[in-house]
Amino acid sequence: MTAQPLSAQHCQPRKGKEHALDEAAVAALLPLVPGWKLSAQGDALVKDFRFENFHHTLGFINAVGFMANHEDHHPDIEAGYGHCKLRWSTHDVGGLSLNDFICAARVDALLER
């Protein structure tokens, strides 16, 4: 990991168990993405975003989709009126990788603009 903020980093290809983060690495990275939680299984980052209406929710989903395509790392998305739940995990490593934390930080940065 570099000293560069997570939101300024870009995803790298991460295939294989050697890229999976251990519990210590996850514990060190989690405070860098406030509001994100570990899934019950501990294999994904999850956050539910709230919006005033479906129009804003859909705009958020489109922005996340654009960023995810650029990073070539895609979340699971669950949406409804006024909310969107994102779930980041790296299927190729069977859990969490640095890419998940980078994308979570980049999503949060979308809302700061």
Side-chain angles (χ1 to χ4, degrees):
M1 192 163 74
T2 69
Q4 189 177 36
L6 286 171
S7 62
Q9 295 180 45
H10 293 282
C11 293
Q12 302 297 320
R14 300 186 200 279
K15 295 180 187 267
K17 297 286 184 190
E18 67 273 11
H19 294 287
L21 298 175
D22 61 24
E23 287 183 32
V26 170
L29 289 166
L30 201 53
L32 302 178
V33 287
W36 290 86
K37 308 282 186 214
L38 289 179
S39 65
Q41 300 80 14
D43 62 350
L45 287 176
V46 180
K47 188 172 183 179
D48 195 17
F49 295 86
R50 299 291 171 170
F51 302 96
E52 64 182 70
N53 56 46
F54 189 72
H55 177 75
H56 287 117
T57 304
L58 193 54
F60 174 73
I61 291 169
N62 285 329
V64 169
F66 184 84
M67 180 277 297
N69 277 333
H70 184 262
E71 295 300 320
D72 195 25
H73 193 62
H74 305 90
D76 292 330
I77 300 172
E78 178 184 316
Y81 187 90
H83 84 99
C84 176
K85 185 175 185 179
L86 297 180
R87 177 183 167 95
W88 293 100
S89 66
T90 305
H91 303 288
D92 288 335
V93 305
L96 289 166
S97 76
L98 184 58
N99 287 350
D100 302 307
F101 286 89
I102 290 169
C103 285
R106 291 179 74 84
V107 166
D108 288 341
L110 289 172
L111 295 172
E112 293 172 1
R113 296 180 182 174

